[in-house]
Amino acid sequence: MQEKSSSENISTKQQRIAELAKQMPNKVLSTLAHHIDERWLREAYERTRKDGATGVDGQTATEYAVNLEDNLRTLLNRAKAGDTYRAPPVRRVYIPKADGKKLRPLGIPTFEDKILQRAVVMVLEPVYEQTFLDCSYGFRPGRGAHDALETVRNHLMEMGGGWVLEADIESFFDSVDHGLLQQILRQRVSDGVVVRLIGKWLNAGVMEEGRIYRPEAGTPQGGVVSPLLANVFLHEVLDTWFEEQVVPRMRGPAHLVRYADDFVMVFKTEEDARRVMDVLPKRFGRYGLRLHPEKTRLVRFPRPSRRPTAQGGGGGRPETFDLLGFTLYWGRSQKGNWVVKLQTAQSRFSRALRRVAEWCNAYRHYPIARQHALLVRKIQGHDAYYGVTGNYARLRNLRYWIERIWFKWLRRRSWAASRKNWKWMQRLLARFPLPRTRIRALERSANA
């Protein structure tokens, strides 16, 4: 009951911050850190994941909780004292990208730093939520990837198709200029404690193989505060520029939809699309960013004609494009109308199967009932994101291959198991069936 009261108290404070920011949209806010007290830090602790990987100090959430109140009190005093607090470097690890060939760097802060970063995010979020535009969906309250996908689909349906600029910012989180980011932050927030803490996190460096590197640019992926900083930076670089300078100059409708550093632009006319494609690299270049030359392309995406000819209605078949793990394409609805549909992107489909194969290999000696329970959870987690209208075939195909991958590794448990045939597997699946494919309409989620 006490924790609930504390959460409500923090929520009330955040509402006041939001109201203040809304009342003064063009003013720089200089007093925010006084909201961060012991209760605020305790709430930040509650909102911090406890099962994440450890940072450079190796301290786990369980160890930190042993003397929680003392630890939080000491953290608060150090954070507000200025030079007393020193941001530890993040521990760098690498995770596979969607293609399974390249690796993506990930920065893991210490657990204590995660708490402090969460506390700063909690005080900055109400401020910037009054500033951010509707085109931005990533890491914002009440918005998520499905919302972004639905918006793109709706824009294309309303326009009857058009042209899509599919863009990719090359190594965005490693390219953000520290000076420019802090300059953009100070346009809205000048609180000394908050600005100083962010500066320390940006300059903390990364530890890799026992050595500390201090890059002059970038916000390490994995930091709690990094998504908010990315939104602040790209709000200035991309969102406001597109809405205020690009849209008024277009001949037809034009829309931007951004999820963190992933974004697409949709245009009614080819002329508008090509004009923006020509100027976009220059805009990004001013802020030290670069579009990936191979992953940035213009996609012809008109609605197919009602009676397509052998050549696709005279203009060829419309292309497809990928966004947030899905491939968007034109398909027929149950009523026979052309609609924009989504299916799992091939790279994500392959990655899902590869991870299942790795898991089945690693845990093939687990009891079958235990393996089944964990596989069910994996499939349900996959379906929670990918189980949308138009994607039934991909989900069914995923189960087909998971069954065969599971069978392959079950047969490698022992010499006796290697003699099992597919009929044995079918009997096993009758006892331990995989969850049925469930499809739902793409919905806007309040907590995506």
Side-chain angles (χ1 to χ4, degrees):
M1 193 72 179
Q2 184 178 358
E3 290 185 1
K4 181 179 180 182
S5 176
S6 177
S7 296
E8 290 175 350
N9 179 269
I10 301 303
S11 179
T12 301
K13 283 187 176 182
Q14 288 181 307
Q15 289 175 7
R16 290 175 185 167
I17 296 171
E19 290 169 3
L20 179 67
K22 190 173 183 180
Q23 291 169 6
M24 301 189 298
N26 299 317
K27 280 200 170 186
V28 180
L29 304 181
S30 59
T31 55
L32 290 172
H34 67 279
H35 292 289
I36 304 177
D37 53 19
E38 287 186 34
R39 280 190 177 185
W40 193 279
L41 271 188
R42 178 60 187 260
E43 180 64 22
Y45 164 80
E46 297 295 340
R47 298 186 188 186
T48 301
R49 282 185 57 187
K50 311 300 189 294
D51 58 349
T54 59
V56 294
D57 61 355
Q59 188 177 48
T60 65
T62 302
E63 293 168 344
Y64 193 84
V66 172
N67 296 305
L68 180 60
E69 300 305 327
D70 287 342
N71 286 335
L72 293 179
R73 190 178 302 111
T74 302
L75 175 61
L76 179 64
N77 292 336
R78 286 188 288 122
K80 292 196 172 183
D83 293 338
T84 309
Y85 171 79
R86 293 187 178 182
V90 298
R91 182 169 66 88
R92 173 163 285 180
V93 297
Y94 292 89
I95 58 174
K97 287 189 175 183
D99 57 11
K101 299 176 182 177
K102 297 182 180 179
L103 297 175
R104 182 191 303 276
L106 187 69
I108 303 175
T110 63
F111 182 73
E112 185 174 70
D113 239 29
K114 291 177 184 178
I115 297 172
L116 190 54
Q117 288 189 25
R118 177 63 63 194
V120 170
V121 168
M122 286 163 53
V123 82
L124 288 180
E125 202 171 64
V127 174
Y128 282 103
E129 277 302 308
Q130 314 310 310
T131 304
F132 291 155
L133 303 181
D134 286 342
C135 61
S136 167
Y137 289 88
F139 305 100
R140 295 183 58 190
R143 288 173 164 240
H146 284 182
D147 304 317
L149 290 160
E150 181 192 32
T151 301
V152 171
R153 187 184 67 177
N154 289 345
H155 285 325
L156 289 166
M157 295 280 290
E158 290 167 3
M159 294 192 307
W163 293 78
V164 178
L165 178 52
E166 183 182 5
D168 181 270
I169 306 175
E170 193 168 15
S171 302
F172 170 75
F173 284 93
D174 294 327
S175 304
V176 175
D177 184 281
H178 292 173
L180 287 174
L181 173 57
Q182 291 178 302
Q183 181 181 332
I184 292 170
L185 278 166
R186 289 192 181 97
Q187 293 174 4
R188 192 69 173 111
V189 174
S190 65
D191 182 281
V193 173
V194 172
V195 170
R196 183 173 61 247
L197 285 174
I198 291 175
K200 289 186 175 186
W201 289 323
L202 291 175
N203 295 304
V206 297
M207 178 174 286
E208 186 174 357
E209 297 180 349
R211 297 182 61 186
I212 297 178
Y213 302 87
R214 301 190 187 278
E216 296 179 358
T219 59
Q221 289 175 279
V224 178
V225 76
S226 290
L228 177 62
L229 296 181
N231 276 335
V232 170
F233 196 70
L234 288 174
H235 170 79
E236 173 73 18
V237 175
L238 182 61
D239 301 355
T240 56
W241 170 75
F242 186 86
E243 294 296 330
E244 296 175 5
Q245 298 186 42
V246 173
V247 172
R249 292 177 169 84
M250 297 291 96
R251 293 182 178 273
H255 303 280
L256 164 69
V257 175
R258 180 177 65 80
Y259 188 95
D261 61 323
D262 291 324
F263 70 94
V264 296
M265 297 174 176
V266 297
F267 304 89
K268 180 61 179 177
T269 71
E270 180 181 3
E271 179 186 359
D272 285 344
R274 294 198 179 279
R275 286 173 60 196
V276 175
M277 188 172 185
D278 288 341
V279 75
L280 191 59
K282 300 173 186 176
R283 173 67 182 180
F284 277 3
R286 288 178 54 189
Y287 292 87
L289 301 178
R290 183 171 180 264
L291 290 174
H292 197 295
E294 297 176 1
K295 297 181 181 180
T296 301
R297 65 191 185 107
L298 198 56
V299 178
R300 177 183 173 275
F301 201 78
R303 177 186 289 150
S305 59
R306 292 186 177 276
R307 296 179 180 178
T309 64
Q311 290 75 34
R317 295 181 61 186
E319 301 175 62
T320 65
F321 66 96
D322 290 351
L323 179 65
L324 300 175
F326 286 92
T327 296
L328 282 76
Y329 66 101
W330 285 102
R332 293 284 192 181
S333 68
Q334 291 183 346
K335 295 182 178 180
N337 299 319
W338 287 111
V339 295
V340 176
K341 292 188 174 184
L342 296 88
Q343 68 177 16
T344 311
Q346 183 58 48
S347 61
R348 297 296 181 92
F349 184 85
S350 300
R351 182 174 70 177
L353 290 180
R354 184 170 60 251
R355 288 181 173 177
V356 167
E358 291 169 353
W359 184 89
C360 287
N361 176 19
Y363 297 97
R364 64 185 183 273
H365 294 298
Y366 269 36
I368 290 178
R370 177 64 173 157
Q371 288 189 43
H372 173 256
L374 294 173
L375 273 176
V376 166
R377 287 176 57 186
K378 288 181 177 294
I379 293 171
Q380 289 174 337
H382 182 90
D383 285 3
Y385 184 72
Y386 289 102
V388 301
T389 303
N391 202 27
Y392 179 82
R394 276 288 167 99
L395 296 182
R396 184 180 59 187
N397 198 24
L398 183 79
R399 281 157 173 74
Y400 173 89
W401 286 110
I402 287 178
E403 289 176 355
R404 279 144 186 82
I405 290 170
W406 193 21
F407 176 52
K408 169 186 173 181
W409 289 107
L410 286 176
R411 293 181 72 229
R412 297 192 180 188
R413 285 157 63 95
S414 65
W415 178 83
S418 68
R419 304 182 67 182
K420 302 293 186 182
N421 56 27
W422 184 248
K423 287 185 178 180
W424 171 85
M425 185 64 185
Q426 288 177 316
R427 291 193 297 271
L428 182 77
L429 289 169
R431 290 178 57 204
F432 299 101
L434 298 182
R436 294 177 58 188
T437 301
R438 297 185 181 276
I439 295 293
R440 66 190 183 285
L442 193 64
E443 299 174 348
R444 298 184 69 87
S445 171
N447 296 296

